[in-house]
Amino acid sequence: MEEVRDRRTPLSAQGAGLTLALTATVVWSGNFVIARALHDTVPPVQTAFWRWIIALLAVAPFAVGRVRREGPVIRRHLGFLTLAALLGVTLFNTLIYQAGRSTSATNMAMIAAASPVLIALFARGGERLGGRRTAGMALALAGVVTLVGKGSPAAVLGLGFAGGDLWMLAATATFAGYSVLLRRRPEGIGGVSFLFMTFALGAAMLLPAYGVSLAAEGGFAPTARTVGPLLYIGVFSSAVAYFTWNKAIALIGAARAGVVYYLQPVCVALLSFAVLGEAVTPVQLLCMALIVAGVALGAGGRR
């Protein structure tokens, strides 16, 4: 039960878990900006495939020796690793890149805001929420919806929905399933080994689709506009962010880490301001305050 875990987990470990979840959220926020740069240059499946190949190469120097030592345990739990790779590697980001072809960034942000809710629902069997966390989630979700609606939550109902929204909803569900599954990672498989195996298995499952994409859409030119963004999402949004997110869930649980994920729209807005020079309006600042307050309330101990 999470109540017991909250009492037994040292405050330093809880703080580390929240910091790691925030680190992953910030890095993934940069991924949205990078994804826009690849929208017209690299097909979705090819973006996903090379992302995981780069991530695999990034973790290999740290993982090969560990994978060899943990080989017997890895072989016994190959089914679990394959399922985790399917959800978190093969499907999740591929679905996001596919969604970006036929829906707006606004709709994607709104649907992505459902991730913490789905994580909490999927985790109900092993993590009790409590009134404080539920209230924090509701407050943060209100801030996200108001932010997407540009100051009017009712305006969200007037948004047009495209076929890509279904792809994004599927991506959100796979991410939630992956996050909850992490709590069941078998003992004896370390964090780096887990990353290496899921990256390898996920890239292998993408290989047939990659071949089809090459045949149907052709390849892409390896220029600074394509290689640079791919290196970012391969090294930072994959190797670094997945390691910190997985470790955060191991320390504080999927539901609490999911609450921190609500900060992603705030991080995207701040990054857009810093990198792209996009103005931040008073309404956006108010919504950000609501989200931050909700995360602070919901990320605390269960009450």
Side-chain angles (χ1 to χ4, degrees), residues 1 54 71 82 88 119-121 134 137 155 160 174 182 210:
M1 300 288 288
I54 293 170
T82 301
I119 290 172
L121 290 175
T134 301
M137 289 176 60
T174 60
L182 291 176
Y210 176 74

Side-chain angles (χ1 to χ4, degrees), residues 36-53:
R36 296 191 198 117
L38 295 176
H39 173 69
D40 296 324
T41 54
V42 186
V45 171
Q46 296 181 42
T47 299
F49 178 77
W50 284 109
R51 169 181 181 158
W52 299 115
I53 292 297

Side-chain angles (χ1 to χ4, degrees), residues 72-106:
V73 182
I74 289 173
R75 286 190 290 272
R76 284 200 304 271
H77 297 284
L78 194 59
F80 173 88
L81 291 169
T82 301
L83 179 58
L86 176 66
L87 293 176
V89 175
T90 304
L91 292 178
F92 172 48
N93 289 280
T94 307
L95 291 170
I96 288 179
Y97 300 136
Q98 183 65 38
R101 284 191 149 189
S102 55
T103 191
S104 67
T106 299

Side-chain angles (χ1 to χ4, degrees), residues 109-110 113 139-149 156 262-263 265 287 290-291:
M110 184 182 68
L139 184 60
L141 182 59
V144 170
V145 171
T146 305
L147 181 63
V148 171
V156 173
Y262 274 124
L263 288 172
C287 295
L290 286 174
I291 295 170

Side-chain angles (χ1 to χ4, degrees), residues 1-6 125-128 302:
M1 300 288 288
E2 181 149 314
E3 182 176 12
V4 175
R5 182 167 61 249
D6 284 345
E127 299 182 26
R128 296 180 62 185
R302 186 178 71 83

Side-chain angles (χ1 to χ4, degrees), residues 106 143-144 146-152 265-266 268-270 272-273 278-292:
T106 299
V144 170
T146 305
L147 181 63
V148 171
K150 296 179 174 59
S152 174
V266 176
V268 171
L270 295 177
S272 297
F273 172 76
E278 295 181 358
V280 179
T281 67
V283 169
Q284 288 175 322
L285 290 174
L286 175 61
C287 295
M288 291 179 195
L290 286 174
I291 295 170
V292 172

Side-chain angles (χ1 to χ4, degrees), residues 9 33 66 99 116 137 139 162 188 208 227 282 291:
T9 303
V33 178
R66 292 181 172 90
M137 289 176 60
L139 184 60
V227 174
I291 295 170

